[in-house]
Amino acid sequence: MKRTIGFLGISLAVVFFLALAFRPMTASGSGKYLEGNPELPDSVAKVIQKACLDCHGEDGNGMAKSHVNFGKWNTYDAKKQAGKAVDISKELSKAAMPPGKWRKNNPDNIPTQAEVDLIKNWAKALNK
Ligand code: HEC
């Protein structure tokens, strides 16, 4: 009997730790994590997450959020998402976003040319 209880305890502990290890990191809607969002391809979400969310996420900057708020992306209808995607790809192409000061402070997170192209293609596909 004792052994069964011990075994049960261990099993429960294992299940508990597994659950912790695999809990979803994508608190969708929080605006902090975009990967795993069904309305954004993961490759796109990754770029936005590293380079845009500081200002365009729920905890971001009011001015930035008034243009694009990725924490509310899923509440935008398809037409609005497509339009915003074009704005986003334009800003990236001009290297106007992320802003210069942010680039200086976050040199490792500046989107690469390949990432800019990826966003441009995504925007194009949404507007077909
Ligand atoms: C340091 C904060 C910051 C970061 C990081 C940032 N933005 Fe912005 N963004 C702003 C602010 C502030 C505005 C509003 C500027 C204004 O109204 O003049 C803005 C405006 C915009 C606009 C609207 C521009 C327009 O004039 O129509 C787009 C689109 C945009 N950002 C996309 C992005 C994308 C995409 C990224 C990431 C690659 C990004 N931003 C990263 C602060 C930021």
Side-chain angles (χ1 to χ4, degrees), residues 18 44 54 59 70 94 128:
L18 280 178
V44 170
D54 279 359
D59 304 330
F70 289 103
K94 290 188 290 186
K128 257 185 197 145

mmCIF file of all heavy atoms in Angstrom, residues 18 44 54 59 70 94 128:
data_model
loop_
_atom_site.group_PDB
_atom_site.id
_atom_site.type_symbol
_atom_site.label_atom_id
_atom_site.label_comp_id
_atom_site.label_asym_id
_atom_site.label_seq_id
_atom_site.Cartn_x
_atom_site.Cartn_y
_atom_site.Cartn_z
ATOM 1 N N LEU A 18 5.753 18.160 -15.996
ATOM 2 C CA LEU A 18 5.543 18.159 -17.445
ATOM 3 C C LEU A 18 4.615 19.300 -17.833
ATOM 4 O O LEU A 18 4.845 20.018 -18.795
ATOM 5 C CB LEU A 18 4.951 16.822 -17.901
ATOM 6 C CG LEU A 18 5.964 15.691 -18.044
ATOM 7 C CD1 LEU A 18 5.264 14.413 -18.461
ATOM 8 C CD2 LEU A 18 7.028 16.059 -19.072
ATOM 9 N N VAL A 44 6.621 35.712 -39.136
ATOM 10 C CA VAL A 44 6.324 37.145 -39.062
ATOM 11 C C VAL A 44 6.254 37.571 -37.597
ATOM 12 O O VAL A 44 6.826 38.596 -37.195
ATOM 13 C CB VAL A 44 4.980 37.453 -39.771
ATOM 14 C CG1 VAL A 44 4.523 38.871 -39.501
ATOM 15 C CG2 VAL A 44 5.103 37.202 -41.271
ATOM 16 N N ASP A 54 8.038 46.310 -28.157
ATOM 17 C CA ASP A 54 8.369 47.247 -27.077
ATOM 18 C C ASP A 54 7.403 48.426 -27.104
ATOM 19 O O ASP A 54 7.032 48.955 -26.059
ATOM 20 C CB ASP A 54 9.798 47.789 -27.249
ATOM 21 C CG ASP A 54 10.842 46.815 -26.739
ATOM 22 O OD1 ASP A 54 10.442 45.739 -26.244
ATOM 23 O OD2 ASP A 54 12.038 47.126 -26.849
ATOM 24 N N ASP A 59 1.787 46.695 -23.646
ATOM 25 C CA ASP A 59 2.508 47.524 -22.671
ATOM 26 C C ASP A 59 3.317 48.617 -23.353
ATOM 27 O O ASP A 59 4.233 49.180 -22.759
ATOM 28 C CB ASP A 59 3.471 46.659 -21.835
ATOM 29 C CG ASP A 59 2.759 45.512 -21.151
ATOM 30 O OD1 ASP A 59 1.571 45.678 -20.837
ATOM 31 O OD2 ASP A 59 3.394 44.460 -20.941
ATOM 32 N N PHE A 70 -0.328 45.299 -31.683
ATOM 33 C CA PHE A 70 -0.312 43.860 -31.946
ATOM 34 C C PHE A 70 -1.041 43.073 -30.857
ATOM 35 O O PHE A 70 -1.439 41.936 -31.074
ATOM 36 C CB PHE A 70 1.118 43.356 -32.129
ATOM 37 C CG PHE A 70 1.728 43.830 -33.424
ATOM 38 C CD1 PHE A 70 2.633 44.870 -33.443
ATOM 39 C CD2 PHE A 70 1.338 43.259 -34.620
ATOM 40 C CE1 PHE A 70 3.176 45.327 -34.639
ATOM 41 C CE2 PHE A 70 1.861 43.709 -35.825
ATOM 42 C CZ PHE A 70 2.789 44.746 -35.829
ATOM 43 N N LYS A 94 11.479 51.508 -45.520
ATOM 44 C CA LYS A 94 12.133 52.822 -45.389
ATOM 45 C C LYS A 94 13.098 52.842 -44.217
ATOM 46 O O LYS A 94 13.739 53.845 -43.965
ATOM 47 C CB LYS A 94 11.072 53.910 -45.121
ATOM 48 C CG LYS A 94 10.169 54.216 -46.292
ATOM 49 C CD LYS A 94 9.287 55.443 -45.994
ATOM 50 C CE LYS A 94 8.229 55.148 -44.940
ATOM 51 N NZ LYS A 94 7.256 56.232 -44.711
ATOM 52 N N LYS A 128 -3.697 40.075 -51.773
ATOM 53 C CA LYS A 128 -4.000 39.485 -53.072
ATOM 54 C C LYS A 128 -5.480 39.429 -53.292
ATOM 55 O O LYS A 128 -6.225 39.258 -52.354
ATOM 56 C CB LYS A 128 -3.392 38.094 -53.155
ATOM 57 C CG LYS A 128 -2.132 38.156 -53.997
ATOM 58 C CD LYS A 128 -1.541 36.774 -54.221
ATOM 59 C CE LYS A 128 -0.102 36.932 -54.675
ATOM 60 N NZ LYS A 128 0.723 35.855 -54.156
#
